Each structure stands twice: as C-alpha cells, then as structure tokens.
Amino acid sequence: MNKLTRKLRDENNELEKQLSEEANAVLTDIVVYIRCANISEFNQERVRRDIDEMLLEGERRGQSVDDIIGGDYKTFCDSVISEVPQLTAAQKTMTVVSYAVMAIGIMLAIWTVFAPIRGLTQGGVWYMVNIGTVDIIEGVAVIAASFYIVDYICKNSFKPKKTLFFVGLAVIIVAFAAALVFIPKVTLLKMNIGVSVLVLAVLAAVYFALNAKLA
C-alpha cells in the first residue's frame, strides 16, 4: 500500500467516526465486500470515501441507511464498483504473483523460525532449514484455508452461507489429509538459516514492489 492509499484509508477511518452505529455496522460489511472487488487498493478507498460521504450526508438529512442506499447492499456495491476502472490483465497477473510471493514468504518464515527448535530437539543442526514434503503439504494447507476463509467472508459478507462455508473447508482439510497419507515423506531442500533470511528479504522486496505498482 503506497502513501497516497494509506493517507486516504486513514482519512476514511476518521470520517467514519462521524457515522451512526447503524451506518458503521452496514459499512463494515460493505468494506469487506469491496476488498474482493476487481479494483486497485486506491480505488477501493475511493469507493469507500464516496459511500462514507453519501451515508454522512444522508444521516444529516435524517435518513436511514436503507433510505440512502436501498435494501440490497450487494447490488448497490456492484453498481458503484462497476463505475471504477477494473484491474487489467497485467494487474491481475501481478496480483496473483504478489499473493504467491506472500504465501511462500509466510511459509519460509515459519520454517526459518522453527528450524533451530527442530534441529535441537530432533538431533539435527540448529542453523539448517530442512524442508520436506510434510512441511510443504502443511504449509500449503494453511495458506489455502486462509485464502479460502478470506475470500468466502468477502464475497458473502452480506448473506453468509454457513453450510457452504464448512463444506468447502472440509474439502480442503480432507484433500490435504489424504496428501499427508499418500505422498512419501522425504526431505526436499536443505539451506543455511542465513540463506533463508536472505531469500525472505528478496521475497519481501518483490512483494512490496508489486504492491506499489498495483496501488
């Protein structure tokens, strides 16, 4: 997130303090839904600002949230988002790559932090990061579940479907449990913890560079 986007986000946070509890409750669901829209972070905050000002002006006139934006919040959000420039194919690709880089970085950071503990408790060398099939499966499972939960919450912020959510989560759990059973448990990579930290630094630089272009 660049400085301009961060500044607009902070201004929106301050503006929303002037809204009623009713408006803020609805706005929370609206903002969550906007986070999954096919628009940049800056445009997400611009949409948020427009809605903030619309709600604030309406409340000053004594109107309720439904009077201001109607009862179908999803349709309202879709109509507003459709007026904003959508992400291009290149931007979508960069978004996917940035998510992949973030996921790899998170997994590598966890393995690096726990490497000394595993080395000392399992009779290995504390300064070596050993990555095996079990580590990959567990890491991917956690990342997949995290992305699934966030995506589900965003897309269903107005009308959550709990049964569908738990079915999807169960499928992820069963799939990765099966992978743990059937995929051979072998070590795939060994690296010095110093190299691991260096790789993490590179991944962080790539992630922030991509997000700066997307904002």
Side-chain angles (χ1 to χ4, degrees):
M1 182 181 293
N2 61 25
K3 290 183 179 179
L4 187 60
T5 304
R6 189 178 297 108
K7 181 175 181 292
L8 185 55
R9 181 200 61 188
D10 293 341
E11 290 174 353
N12 288 339
N13 290 338
E14 288 301 314
L15 188 62
E16 287 163 10
K17 292 179 181 179
Q18 302 177 44
L19 294 170
S20 66
E21 290 185 9
E22 177 200 6
N24 269 304
V26 173
L27 190 59
T28 297
D29 291 336
I30 288 176
V31 171
V32 169
Y33 184 75
I34 291 172
R35 294 306 180 203
C36 277
N38 186 40
I39 56 178
S40 68
E41 284 189 334
F42 179 71
N43 282 329
Q44 288 176 14
E45 292 301 329
R46 283 181 56 203
V47 169
R48 184 181 170 191
R49 167 61 63 84
D50 290 342
I51 296 174
D52 285 348
E53 292 178 342
M54 187 183 301
L55 290 171
L56 193 57
E57 287 300 318
E59 288 198 323
R60 285 170 178 167
R61 294 192 298 267
Q63 295 177 300
S64 68
V65 175
D66 285 357
D67 291 333
I68 301 166
I69 64 177
D72 191 340
Y73 304 141
K74 183 177 182 299
T75 298
F76 167 76
C77 289
D78 288 339
S79 66
V80 175
I81 292 169
S82 66
E83 300 298 321
V84 180
Q86 304 295 296
L87 294 177
T88 64
Q91 289 173 319
K92 288 181 182 179
T93 300
M94 284 193 293
T95 299
V96 172
V97 172
S98 71
Y99 285 155
V101 169
M102 179 181 69
I104 293 170
I106 291 173
M107 289 190 292
L108 183 57
I110 293 172
W111 296 330
T112 302
V113 168
F114 285 98
I117 298 174
R118 292 175 64 176
L120 293 173
T121 58
Q122 297 177 10
V125 181
W126 71 267
Y127 55 82
M128 293 298 294
V129 179
N130 299 319
I131 303 172
T133 52
V134 172
D135 300 304
I136 297 293
I137 293 169
E138 291 177 346
V140 173
V142 171
I143 296 298
S146 300
F147 276 110
Y148 170 76
I149 292 170
V150 171
D151 185 68
Y152 175 86
I153 291 173
C154 288
K155 292 181 177 178
N156 297 275
S157 61
F158 301 119
K159 294 182 179 179
K161 302 174 182 177
K162 293 183 179 180
T163 301
L164 181 63
F165 168 73
F166 286 113
V167 168
L169 194 60
V171 169
I172 293 175
I173 294 172
V174 171
F176 285 99
L180 284 173
V181 172
F182 294 106
I183 294 179
K185 297 175 177 59
V186 296
T187 300
L188 301 174
L189 177 65
K190 293 183 179 182
M191 72 173 79
N192 187 282
I193 199 168
V195 175
S196 179
V197 171
L198 180 61
V199 173
L200 282 171
V202 172
L203 290 173
V206 172
Y207 175 77
F208 287 119
L210 287 171
N211 277 270
K213 290 184 178 181
L214 287 168

